[in-house]
Amino acid sequence: MSDWQGSGTPSSTLTWVDQFRVDLKEFADTTRFTDGMIEFWYGIGDRLMDATHFLTDTVVRNYMLELWVAHNVIMDYNNQVAVAAGNYTGEGLKPANSYNVGDVSISYDNGSFMEQNGGDWNATIYGRKLLRLIRNLCPAYQVY
């Protein structure tokens, strides 16, 4: 995991975006997940998770910031794919709890892995991890 300090110079020769891609290898595809997209969400998250007010442990804060960025990048990407397919409502972007194909039906208990009252944070694994960390580590910053 990165030991990036935010709002300054990374502790290694890697940029924040490069370190993000090292820590979360699933974002290595620069065509799908552009540097600009990652930098945009980093800029917002870095301000929202101001170390002086949010967390003093920089390792935990950095991990949470990476989760914040990953969640929002995935949400952006999913929206772009949906719009490209003509879906301007966002319908179908939430986790499904059942599927039917012909005579075969399968259902899932989404409640077993979703964060209660998690809202949009439940839309990605990164959002769920972030929300769980916030609820466990920062009770003053409860998200409902």
Side-chain angles (χ1 to χ4, degrees), residues 2-144:
S2 166
D3 60 352
W4 174 258
Q5 300 300 310
S7 301
T9 306
S11 59
S12 69
T13 58
L14 295 177
T15 66
W16 194 90
V17 172
D18 291 337
Q19 187 63 57
F20 173 82
R21 291 183 195 280
V22 167
D23 293 345
L24 299 171
K25 291 171 183 33
E26 58 270 38
F27 290 93
D29 185 340
T30 58
T31 305
R32 275 192 192 146
F33 311 113
T34 66
D35 288 354
M37 185 186 286
I38 293 168
E39 288 167 353
F40 174 79
W41 286 111
Y42 168 77
I44 293 174
D46 190 42
R47 286 167 181 77
L48 291 175
M49 294 184 196
D50 180 359
T52 59
H53 297 103
F54 193 71
L55 285 171
T56 55
D57 185 316
T58 57
V59 173
V60 173
R61 177 187 178 271
N62 295 336
Y63 178 59
M64 293 174 77
L65 184 54
E66 285 184 336
L67 291 174
W68 157 269
V69 171
H71 170 77
N72 284 290
V73 166
I74 290 293
M75 295 291 283
D76 270 359
Y77 177 76
N78 288 344
N79 288 339
Q80 290 173 13
V81 170
V83 168
N87 177 357
Y88 297 93
T89 65
E91 194 65 34
L93 295 177
K94 297 176 184 173
N97 61 2
S98 65
Y99 296 95
N100 296 308
V101 178
D103 294 339
V104 178
S105 176
I106 187 170
S107 61
Y108 302 97
D109 177 14
N110 290 345
S112 65
F113 67 88
M114 302 294 244
E115 289 294 313
Q116 184 176 10
N117 299 321
D120 287 345
W121 297 108
N122 278 318
T124 71
I125 58 172
Y126 309 102
R128 289 190 297 273
K129 286 181 180 181
L130 178 60
L131 182 55
R132 196 170 308 121
L133 280 170
I134 290 172
R135 287 178 171 170
N136 287 324
L137 300 174
C138 312
Y141 287 88
Q142 289 298 317
V143 178
Y144 296 100

